[in-house]
Amino acid sequence: MTGVPASAAGGPSGARSAAGAAPGGVSASGRAVAREARGAAPGSSGGGPARRGASGRGPGGDRAHGDKAALARSPREGVDAEDGTRPARGAKIAAAAVNQASVWNIANLLTMLRLLLVPAFVMLMLANGGHDPAWRSFAWAAFAVAMITDLFDGHLARTYNLVTDFGKIADPIADKAIMGAALVCLSALGDLPWWVTGVILGRELGITLLRFLVIRYGVIPASRGGKLKTLTQGVAVGMYVLALTGWLATLRWWVMAAAVVLTVVTGLDYVKQAIVLRRQGIAERKAALEETEA
């Protein structure tokens, strides 16, 4: 009968033969059709024409075109996230080398010189009993060089973008080390009362600690009074390092008195700024928290 499937035409025996053939396999024509279907499907595991054409090795595929396609599909490692450009070969290594070499810039070298001048100053100051005018003159020269470099290293770092983590830590240490060494030596030699040394060093250490305590709320900027205090302290201590007599000895006493007054006044001003900064920081955090909860 025309148009009737073979299983139907064969009756029950035909149905049984068809059922028995299904688990065992597919006919030759069925396998051929399946292979053609797998070859035409994109991305199939059969490695059909579409897959071979994409790789440039199949029929009708250009190898150069396939290489370009493979490059287009490969992950873009090392591409800049902002502008999409690929950095030059070795750019990361060069950048790391620059970051390591930046520690040895002119500003940091001046800071290192100031640190090395501290023990040299102490030895010169205490040489030959500590009261020899010649050795005191050499000690004054070392102190003067240290104070002058203090004026330039910070300016150079900010102007030429030479600020480093080392400079941020070493610069204040060098400043307080040379000043503290001079004050302690002068008091140990009996040229300067210990209470003056205590007031100046106590203020410097206290303000440094205060800066660290309020740094979570902001940074206390250096004031003009603080800069004037530093200059006055340097001049006064320098005059005490020299073996001066007569009216110059009287003058240095007044300069040191002005330095002590500026030290106390600017210290109180820093404390006031720290309190205001902390209150503002707490208020801002509280307002931000309330806004988040709302």
Side-chain angles (χ1 to χ4, degrees), residues 164-191:
T164 61
D165 293 336
F166 172 81
K168 294 177 183 179
I169 298 173
D171 183 69
I173 293 176
D175 297 342
K176 292 169 178 57
I178 189 66
M179 183 61 67
L183 291 170
V184 170
C185 287
L186 289 172
S187 295
L189 294 173
D191 295 336

Side-chain angles (χ1 to χ4, degrees), residues 283-294:
E284 291 176 357
R285 289 187 177 185
K286 184 178 180 180
L289 184 60
E290 292 177 353
E291 183 178 355
T292 303
E293 293 177 351

Side-chain angles (χ1 to χ4, degrees), residues 181-241:
L183 291 170
V184 170
C185 287
L186 289 172
S187 295
L189 294 173
D191 295 336
L192 188 68
W194 277 105
W195 69 266
V196 174
T197 298
V199 168
I200 295 177
L201 293 184
R203 184 267 188 196
E204 298 298 332
L205 296 177
I207 295 302
T208 300
L209 179 61
L210 187 63
R211 286 178 181 272
F212 280 109
L213 291 177
V214 300
I215 196 172
R216 68 180 68 178
Y217 306 109
V219 177
I220 304 176
S223 62
R224 293 184 178 180
K227 296 178 180 178
L228 180 60
K229 178 268 307 177
T230 302
L231 178 62
T232 307
Q233 282 183 359
V235 173
V237 172
M239 295 180 71
Y240 266 86
V241 170

Side-chain angles (χ1 to χ4, degrees), residues 59-123:
D62 184 8
R63 185 173 182 84
H65 177 72
D67 292 341
K68 291 180 181 179
L71 288 175
R73 293 193 307 271
S74 63
R76 303 179 62 191
E77 297 180 357
V79 176
D80 193 346
E82 295 183 359
D83 56 6
T85 59
R86 187 181 297 275
R89 181 175 296 180
K92 294 182 179 180
I93 299 176
V98 170
N99 290 336
Q100 292 177 0
S102 64
V103 177
W104 301 97
N105 60 57
I106 183 62
N108 287 344
L109 290 176
L110 291 176
T111 302
M112 295 176 191
L113 174 62
R114 197 157 69 253
L115 288 170
L116 293 176
L117 284 174
V118 174
F121 168 81
V122 173
M123 289 187 295

